[in-house]
Amino acid sequence: QENWIGKSEGALITFDIIDDTRKIPVFSTRPETLFGASFIAISAGHEISRELAESDKEFATFINECQTMVTTEEALEKTEKKGKFTGLYAAHPLDPDKKLPIYIANFVLIEYGTGAVFACPAHDERDFDFAKKYNLQIKSVIETTEDLPYVGDGIMINSQYLDGMNIKDAKAFIINRLEEIGAGQRQITYRLRDWLVSRQRYWGCPIPIIHCEKCGDIPAELPVLLPDDVSFDGKGNPLDKHPTWKHVKCPKCGQNALRETDTLDTFFESSWYFIRYLCPHYDGVIDKKIADAAMPVELCIGGVEHAVMHLLYARFFVLALRDLGYLNADIPFKNLLTQGMVCHKSFKNSDGEWIYPDEVAKSADGKMVDKDGKEVIEYSFEKMSKSKKNVINPQEIIDSHGVDALRLFIVSDTPPEKDLEWNTNALDGSWRFLNRVWNLFNKILAKTKENEQGTENLIKLTHIYLKKITKSYDNISLNKTVAFLRELFNEIEDRFEHESAASLKFAFTSFIKSLCPITPHIAHEMFEVMLADDQLQNAAWPEIDDKLAALETITIAVQLNGKLKATFEIEPDADEQTLETAALKTLGTIADKSNIKKIITVKNKIVNVVI
């Protein structure tokens, strides 16, 4: 996010439009590539674009098309690059013999820089795609043996007096040269933009401002309550049309005044709720004592858009509230998890209509058809969306499999941060597993031999798995959690005939507690019955006996340049970093850390240090 917010250092370059009095200022972080420029690209919102749209329908249509596009960085990377030649040319500020055609381009945004770029196709992917499409010059000015576009470091070529310089020196030189001739200046820009927080709608928090002709804009007394008798006729802001609500007396001079009728952006509201939730009944704004004890939030889970927008706004609010003395936290969240999307195949019939997955059937000859017998084309997995109808109704799954099976399937197949491909067979597998759990639960209930002690073996095994399960929960590796839960269940099931009622009960109640966050309904039911009305929501997380949870150690061979030098003992399945640290400690001064080229680890077997 520092890069998203951060500053860009470069040059503001002025391009004169040929046979015109106008100029186009362009900010660039790569002024050293100026000799590779082949065209100028301006945004649909640029002043020149707007002027062309007013007098030419073709320009107006193209500009309208550009302005209706999604303009996120990710979307622009994937969008087909399109442009329209303006008929204008710009003079190259450093090469009087060169003129650059000016295009309106859909990949240039008015919000960034000056809304115009000079394009060096050989060293920028978007410029390269555009130049290939419109048959524009592609001139390399950085020496490379790689395919174009090349965006790495190197030595300048084809750039007159810059030839032979490295990029850093060439950038400094060219900026000085532009300043000397009055064609540009050194500049620092930021990607931050103004945040428009007002919305013209009824739903939301009213902006607490009163507009008085005499006193100006002054704060309104809180709380400002929305009126109940509003009319939603689909035209304009209901608050602005209300006959009385907006008419108030100025609290300062007592004259007639108007209340602000805009409400706040929902992002404004969601940027600090996690602090207010800590003290919902506090009469003031924030209980600082509670906020300082609880902030920052340990984990924030949300969609990928939170990685930029929500996180940025939340950070701003936390820093502002800190500076105002409401809390001491410097960051809103310690960790952020952006979950993946649920994906499904999509289907379209021969009429070009998207159809729901449950409308797809097979004809007598094995072809896919819809309910009317029209042939169906199957498309690959992509994000579920209403427009493509590649969705599954959760209620239907709940009715057929139960909500616990649905929850288990969603977390068992894929890590939370990855996209999940919907798989009905895997859903059936989750349902069958929970049936096995329920059957074993009833068998354990029926096994009531008196005065038997649990065997140390099953109890130890339970603690080993509890340690793995707890660690996977802490790491939000929920698919691993499910795998460990299944392994523990299989052990309990396999040992049922040979274990006492007491040991089975201990192992199974530990299993239930560990299963509860994923399948709470069946877990609560089993726990309450097995422990005679005890409530699972009041139970503590299973305590892990570290001695019992400790695995037997294994021997790891330590090699230096492929030759055995030492060994050490460690628990099985230690991660790569743990193995490397233990190996270097074992070698001691034999291996000089400053001379190590690489370390090769083979899990549970060998660590080879190469110097």
Side-chain angles (χ1 to χ4, degrees):
Q1 195 179 51
E2 183 180 1
N3 292 331
W4 193 89
I5 298 170
K7 64 183 182 181
S8 297
E9 298 186 41
L12 183 66
I13 308 167
T14 303
F15 289 86
D16 292 326
I17 299 178
I18 296 173
D19 298 327
D20 199 311
T21 59
R22 291 174 295 180
K23 301 176 184 293
I24 296 181
V26 171
F27 173 76
S28 174
T29 59
R30 300 293 307 273
E32 73 281 0
T33 64
L34 197 52
F35 285 104
S38 65
F39 64 96
I40 301 287
I42 61 176
S43 74
H46 195 277
E47 181 183 359
I48 292 175
S49 302
R50 294 199 306 271
E51 288 179 6
L52 290 169
E54 289 175 2
S55 57
D56 190 306
K57 282 188 176 181
E58 285 190 18
F59 280 108
T61 301
F62 178 73
I63 288 168
N64 184 60
E65 179 186 333
C66 294
Q67 291 176 333
T68 56
M69 288 172 44
V70 177
T71 56
T72 63
E73 288 289 327
E74 183 181 16
L76 287 175
E77 289 293 335
K78 298 176 181 177
T79 300
E80 180 188 359
K81 308 303 179 286
K82 293 182 179 180
K84 190 167 180 61
F85 179 48
T86 62
L88 301 172
Y89 290 87
H92 194 291
L94 301 176
D95 186 348
D97 297 327
K98 190 171 187 179
K99 61 180 184 179
L100 307 173
I102 302 172
Y103 283 80
I104 303 172
N106 66 349
F107 63 91
V108 182
L109 302 179
I110 189 65
E111 294 90 350
Y112 296 127
T114 63
V117 299
F118 81 77
C120 179
H123 306 295
D124 182 275
E125 191 167 343
R126 292 180 190 175
D127 298 348
F128 182 84
D129 292 343
F130 192 92
K132 291 281 284 187
K133 184 180 178 93
Y134 293 100
N135 197 29
L136 299 167
Q137 183 189 41
I138 300 175
K139 176 183 176 183
S140 180
V141 292
I142 301 173
E143 190 172 28
T144 179
T145 57
E146 297 182 21
D147 292 335
L148 298 179
Y150 174 69
V151 296
D153 204 355
I155 301 300
M156 303 301 300
I157 58 172
N158 300 324
S159 299
Q160 298 183 17
Y161 39 77
L162 299 181
D163 288 355
M165 293 186 185
N166 60 44
I167 287 177
K168 183 180 178 181
D169 291 343
K171 180 181 289 189
F173 187 95
I174 206 71
I175 292 175
N176 289 336
R177 177 64 179 155
L178 288 167
E179 289 183 330
E180 285 174 7
I181 64 175
Q185 61 190 54
R186 193 179 310 275
Q187 189 175 86
I188 296 174
T189 65
Y190 295 85
R191 299 193 68 180
L192 284 176
R193 291 169 284 166
D194 288 342
W195 178 12
L196 180 63
V197 298
S198 61
R199 297 293 183 269
Q200 293 74 49
R201 60 188 177 203
Y202 172 80
W203 303 109
C205 178
I207 296 176
I209 295 292
I210 291 174
H211 305 289
C212 174
E213 289 188 2
K214 180 180 179 182
C215 305
D217 298 337
I218 58 175
E221 185 178 352
L222 297 176
V224 179
L225 301 179
L226 292 167
D228 296 328
D229 55 336
V230 289
S231 172
F232 298 99
D233 60 7
K235 297 178 182 178
N237 182 356
L239 293 175
D240 194 44
K241 294 182 297 180
H242 193 279
T244 60
W245 183 80
K246 66 180 180 181
H247 298 284
V248 294
K249 296 292 183 182
C250 173
K252 192 171 182 181
C253 70
Q255 292 185 8
N256 290 336
L258 291 175
R259 189 187 300 282
E260 174 58 57
T261 57
D262 282 3
T263 53
L264 288 167
D265 170 19
T266 51
F267 267 116
F268 190 96
E269 301 297 295
S270 65
S271 297
W272 64 288
Y273 69 90
F274 45 88
I275 308 171
R276 180 60 183 176
Y277 277 3
L278 298 171
C279 49
H281 304 297
Y282 184 63
D283 288 337
V285 179
I286 294 168
D287 187 322
K288 190 172 186 296
K289 185 177 181 181
I290 294 176
D292 287 344
M295 287 291 293
V297 176
E298 291 287 339
L299 174 66
C300 175
I301 301 175
V304 69
E305 70 276 7
H306 288 192
V308 176
M309 297 176 69
H310 175 59
L311 184 56
L312 177 67
Y313 301 148
R315 190 186 302 281
F316 166 78
F317 261 80
V318 167
L319 291 174
L321 290 169
R322 180 202 65 185
D323 292 349
L324 291 168
Y326 286 103
L327 71 163
N328 289 324
D330 294 320
I331 57 171
F333 316 116
K334 285 186 178 179
N335 297 287
L336 173 70
L337 172 66
T338 57
Q339 79 272 16
M341 309 300 293
V342 182
C343 302
H344 198 290
K345 289 183 177 180
S346 52
F347 303 91
K348 186 183 283 188
N349 65 19
S350 54
D351 289 340
E353 300 168 330
W354 296 106
I355 62 174
Y356 291 104
D358 59 8
E359 294 177 334
V360 179
K362 280 196 175 179
S363 63
D365 57 359
K367 292 182 178 179
M368 286 193 299
V369 294
D370 66 8
K371 59 185 178 181
D372 298 322
K374 298 172 184 173
E375 192 169 343
V376 168
I377 300 172
E378 178 183 281
Y379 293 84
S380 59
F381 281 97
E382 57 185 322
K383 180 181 73 173
M384 285 188 180
S385 67
K386 288 184 290 184
S387 61
K388 293 188 177 178
K389 297 187 177 180
N390 61 335
V391 296
I392 298 293
N393 185 342
Q395 189 59 53
E396 292 178 5
I397 302 299
I398 293 169
D399 292 342
S400 61
H401 291 74
V403 69
D404 280 336
L406 176 59
R407 290 167 61 97
L408 180 62
F409 158 65
I410 288 173
V411 300
S412 64
D413 192 53
T414 307
E417 67 275 11
K418 301 293 185 182
D419 289 345
L420 166 68
E421 293 185 356
W422 188 263
N423 184 330
T424 303
N425 292 332
L427 175 62
D428 292 339
S430 295
W431 182 80
R432 288 193 297 270
F433 174 71
L434 291 181
N435 276 277
R436 286 175 57 203
V437 170
W438 184 255
N439 291 335
L440 182 59
F441 159 68
N442 284 296
K443 286 172 67 176
I444 293 173
L445 280 182
K447 188 168 184 174
T448 55
K449 292 181 181 179
E450 299 293 337
N451 302 320
E452 284 194 278
Q453 298 296 317
T455 64
E456 183 179 341
N457 191 29
L458 180 56
I459 292 173
K460 176 178 175 60
L461 197 61
T462 301
H463 281 284
I464 289 172
Y465 274 106
L466 285 175
K467 188 173 183 179
K468 292 180 178 180
I469 290 166
T470 302
K471 184 178 179 180
S472 63
Y473 268 128
D474 289 343
N475 294 335
I476 325 176
S477 302
L478 300 184
N479 57 317
K480 290 184 179 179
T481 303
V482 173
F484 292 141
L485 282 165
R486 285 178 177 269
E487 289 177 19
L488 175 57
F489 173 81
N490 290 339
E491 292 287 354
I492 300 170
E493 189 179 51
D494 292 344
R495 296 165 186 267
F496 173 78
E497 297 295 340
H498 310 290
E499 292 291 342
S500 68
S503 61
L504 287 168
K505 186 175 181 180
F506 167 77
F508 200 79
T509 53
S510 299
F511 168 77
I512 292 171
K513 289 180 179 179
S514 305
L515 183 67
C516 178
I518 298 172
T519 62
H521 307 87
I522 191 174
H524 276 78
E525 178 73 15
M526 292 187 295
F527 191 86
E528 187 172 333
V529 173
M530 183 167 276
L531 296 182
D533 293 331
D534 277 7
Q535 298 295 305
L536 183 50
Q537 64 262 34
N538 298 327
W541 188 254
E543 288 190 23
I544 301 169
D545 186 319
D546 288 331
K547 290 183 179 179
L548 291 176
L551 297 169
E552 290 76 12
T553 60
I554 58 174
T555 301
I556 303 294
V558 182
Q559 296 179 341
L560 190 64
N561 294 333
K563 295 182 179 180
L564 181 65
K565 289 294 181 181
T567 61
F568 63 87
E569 300 294 313
I570 200 166
E571 285 187 0
D573 300 323
D575 60 44
E576 190 173 289
Q577 185 60 52
T578 303
L579 290 174
E580 289 182 6
T581 302
L584 292 175
K585 184 177 180 181
T586 303
L587 287 174
T589 57
I590 298 176
D592 184 349
K593 291 183 180 180
S594 63
N595 292 330
I596 294 176
K597 295 179 180 177
K598 61 180 176 178
I599 301 176
I600 304 167
T601 61
V602 180
K603 193 174 183 179
N604 293 334
K605 291 183 179 180
I606 297 169
V607 179
N608 182 22
V609 180
V610 180
I611 59 174

